[in-house]
Amino acid sequence: MTGGRDWLAQPRSMQAAERVLDAAARLFAEQGVAATQMGDIAKAAGCSRATLYRYFDSRQAVQLAYVHREARRVGATVAADIATIGDPGERAVAGVLASLRAVRSDPLLIAWFRPDDAGRTLEMAQTSQVIEAMGRSLFDPETLPGARDSALLARWLTRIIVSLLTVPGQNESEERAMLELFLAPLLVPHR
């Protein structure tokens, strides 16, 4: 039954929210992020709009919850990929490239970087503490030369990732070369 009562009867509200986010993800990929409305999400999740609003008070709240969920998932994957890399520049380059691969390999995520949706994605990425934390995981603030602001660096790394997802290089080798030339030298440990 798709009625709100049975849907809400599940004592697992977290599972209900996940169900909404899964439905929203499919719609974001099919229709685009900007084009997906709350009514579309409710229908795809099998609930009423009123039920949907019990979990998420706006379309932006659904979008942000989805982005945070996926950023945590991608962040865990990237962290595992770069865990053994000691060199700060190499770690940042590998982390950015792993982030790009993770997003590009998932049709539900790469949909956020279509021309109509990329601006919203960048805005969200620049204001999200979850995404900023993911950016910080790509470098060790203690090893940075000078008095650098790690929050600014994390946001800048996020911009690099969003930029490369929106306007990719010719291939991963070109992207790696750009990152090694322009990013890695900035992360040379302070001596």
Side-chain angles (χ1 to χ4, degrees):
M1 180 176 196
T2 60
R5 181 173 213 88
D6 285 343
W7 198 76
L8 279 176
Q10 298 179 9
R12 303 167 299 267
S13 64
M14 195 64 163
Q15 285 181 324
E18 290 295 319
R19 182 174 166 182
V20 168
L21 294 179
D22 291 342
R26 289 188 302 277
L27 292 171
F28 295 151
E30 292 168 10
Q31 300 176 180
V33 177
T36 300
Q37 302 298 316
M38 290 295 272
D40 302 328
I41 296 169
K43 183 177 179 182
C47 67
S48 69
R49 284 175 55 107
T51 299
L52 176 59
Y53 279 104
R54 289 182 188 172
Y55 290 91
F56 300 98
D57 64 359
S58 67
R59 181 170 61 142
Q60 291 77 19
V62 174
Q63 292 170 348
L64 189 60
Y66 175 75
V67 166
H68 283 176
R69 179 182 80 172
E70 295 307 307
R72 285 182 183 100
R73 184 182 59 78
V74 168
T77 299
V78 170
D81 287 352
I82 66 173
T84 61
I85 301 174
D87 178 82
E90 186 181 328
R91 178 183 176 87
V93 168
V96 170
L97 292 172
S99 298
L100 296 173
R101 280 191 302 275
V103 172
R104 288 174 177 156
S105 68
D106 187 334
L108 301 178
L109 292 180
I110 197 61
W112 283 77
F113 300 92
R114 293 178 187 145
D116 291 346
D117 295 317
R120 173 75 183 127
T121 303
L122 179 58
E123 177 187 328
M124 194 176 297
Q126 290 297 293
T127 59
S128 167
Q129 291 179 350
V130 171
I131 294 175
E132 183 177 310
M134 188 177 146
R136 282 182 204 240
S137 73
L138 301 180
F139 63 91
D140 179 2
E142 299 299 318
T143 65
L144 293 176
R148 306 231 181 170
D149 184 332
S150 63
L152 284 176
L153 179 56
R155 286 195 296 273
W156 185 69
L157 286 171
T158 301
R159 285 177 184 253
I160 290 172
I161 294 167
V162 171
S163 175
L164 288 170
L165 288 167
T166 307
V167 184
Q170 293 178 0
N171 54 44
E172 186 173 320
S173 295
E174 181 188 66
E175 291 173 345
R176 176 181 289 283
M178 288 188 289
L179 293 168
E180 288 174 345
L181 183 61
F182 300 111
L183 172 61
L186 295 174
L187 299 171
V188 173
H190 183 63
R191 301 204 193 310

